[in-house]
């Protein structure tokens, strides 16, 4: 049985999707971009600030499912410019214990929603 996960502490979906879906003990999140959940304004002052907002949005979704970053087993990172990888990775890395960090792929793409620089999705298990 699937359970829809939505929280006001992360940006509301801007299309026909939910923030996350819990199936059994596995959580599948939608990609998060740097929309501030209260204002729905993009946080794009710097790539670091943008990445931090994405991770804070993801943290809120995980918490709504009674999980933390420790539960994450896989992440997908989509970036518009691979030259930003080191800066994105530095912020992303502060949210995980390096010894137990999840599997991951990082892919450069032509465009992302609202033409942001980074989007991240995750899979987590209880």
């Amino acid at each position: 049985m699937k359970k829809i996960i939505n929280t006001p502490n992360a940006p509301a979906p801007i299309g026909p999707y939910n923030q996350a879906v819990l199936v059994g003990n596995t959580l599948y999140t939608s990609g998060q971009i740097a929309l501030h959940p209260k204002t729905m304004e993009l946080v794009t002052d710097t790539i670091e600030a943008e990445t931090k907002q994405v991770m804070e949005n993801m943290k809120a979704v995980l918490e709504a499912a009674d999980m933390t970053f420790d539960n994450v087993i896989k992440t997908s990172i989509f970036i518009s410019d691979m030259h930003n990888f080191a800066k994105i990775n530095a912020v992303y890395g502060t949210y995980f214990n390096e010894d137990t960090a999840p599997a991951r792929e990082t892919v450069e793409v032509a465009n992302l929603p609202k033409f942001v620089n980074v989007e991240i999705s995750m899979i987590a298990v209880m």
Side-chain angles (χ1 to χ4, degrees):
M1 198 82 165
K2 76 178 183 180
K3 177 182 177 186
I4 303 303
I5 304 296
N6 279 308
T7 176
N9 297 323
I14 53 176
Y17 64 92
N18 288 290
Q19 294 167 339
V21 176
L22 182 66
V23 179
N25 68 341
T26 305
L27 182 73
Y28 301 90
T29 73
S30 293
Q32 286 291 322
I33 61 174
L35 285 169
H36 190 281
K38 303 292 186 236
T39 65
M40 292 299 282
E41 296 290 324
L42 286 170
V43 177
T44 56
D45 302 333
T46 65
I47 192 64
E48 293 90 349
E50 185 172 352
T51 305
K52 183 175 194 283
Q53 185 63 58
V54 170
M55 295 300 287
E56 289 298 311
N57 291 345
M58 193 58 67
K59 180 180 178 182
V61 173
L62 290 168
E63 287 175 350
D66 295 322
M67 295 189 191
T68 70
F69 287 106
D70 290 337
N71 295 98
V72 176
I73 60 167
K74 176 81 166 55
T75 63
S76 298
I77 303 176
F78 304 95
I79 61 178
S80 62
D81 183 351
M82 197 57 79
H83 291 101
N84 287 328
F85 174 77
K87 291 177 181 178
I88 292 167
N89 195 53
V91 174
Y92 168 93
T94 65
Y95 288 84
F96 293 101
N97 176 332
E98 198 168 315
D99 294 334
T100 59
R104 165 182 98 182
E105 73 256 339
T106 303
V107 181
E108 182 181 81
V109 296
N111 288 301
L112 289 164
K114 296 190 173 280
F115 300 100
V116 296
N117 299 298
V118 60
E119 179 176 4
I120 300 174
S121 65
M122 299 181 178
I123 299 172
V125 294
M126 288 185 175

